[in-house]
Amino acid sequence: MRALRVAAYAPLSMELESAEVPDTPPPGMLLVDAHTTAISAGTEIANFRGITTYRSAANPDWRADPYVPGYSVAGAVRAVGEGVTRFAPGDRVCGMGPHASVAVVDPTSFVRVPDTVSFDHAAMTT
């Protein structure tokens, strides 16, 4: 399936692009439909600006190794990989994940989100 994600190919620029995501997550992983993602005001902004050691603005062409940011995501489980027992399709969850419409994520960094908590608030928990 196709998903949308953000990626940077140079400092201070971000593109919305289409990316391939498997219909079924690999064993031990989750497939999550994102409702809200949160931006890290520290590391993600520094990488976007090209001021980290790894993303030096001295090399403004990141096409060979684009920056695909991700920090915190809240959404619903679309599918679970083989061996995942803590979550089921439809569960409301939040944890570490990319800025993408759908993503494969590691369930060990995810928790359930109570119905009384909005996805916007849940995305801020990371």
Side-chain angles (χ1 to χ4, degrees):
M1 94 178 67
R2 302 301 293 175
L4 294 175
R5 70 177 189 185
V6 293
Y9 294 93
L12 302 174
S13 69
M14 199 62 69
E15 297 178 19
L16 184 61
E17 64 183 17
S18 180
E20 188 64 30
V21 178
D23 291 325
T24 304
M29 302 296 274
L30 295 176
L31 189 62
V32 172
D33 287 321
H35 288 258
T36 303
T37 67
I39 298 169
S40 161
T43 305
E44 283 192 303
I45 297 299
N47 278 304
F48 170 73
R49 292 178 59 203
I51 61 172
T52 62
T53 302
Y54 186 73
R55 294 286 170 190
S56 170
N59 179 13
D61 184 359
W62 299 345
R63 294 243 167 234
D65 184 20
Y67 175 52
V68 180
Y71 176 65
S72 183
V73 61
V77 174
R78 177 184 286 243
V80 298
E82 181 182 330
V84 175
T85 58
R86 286 182 44 221
F87 300 104
D91 283 351
R92 293 166 41 91
V93 294
C94 67
M96 299 286 293
H99 301 298
S101 59
V102 181
V104 173
V105 297
D106 181 349
T108 62
S109 70
F110 274 72
V111 296
R112 278 190 186 76
V113 174
D115 291 340
T116 56
V117 176
S118 72
F119 285 125
D120 290 350
H121 288 139
M124 299 305 293
T125 63
T126 299

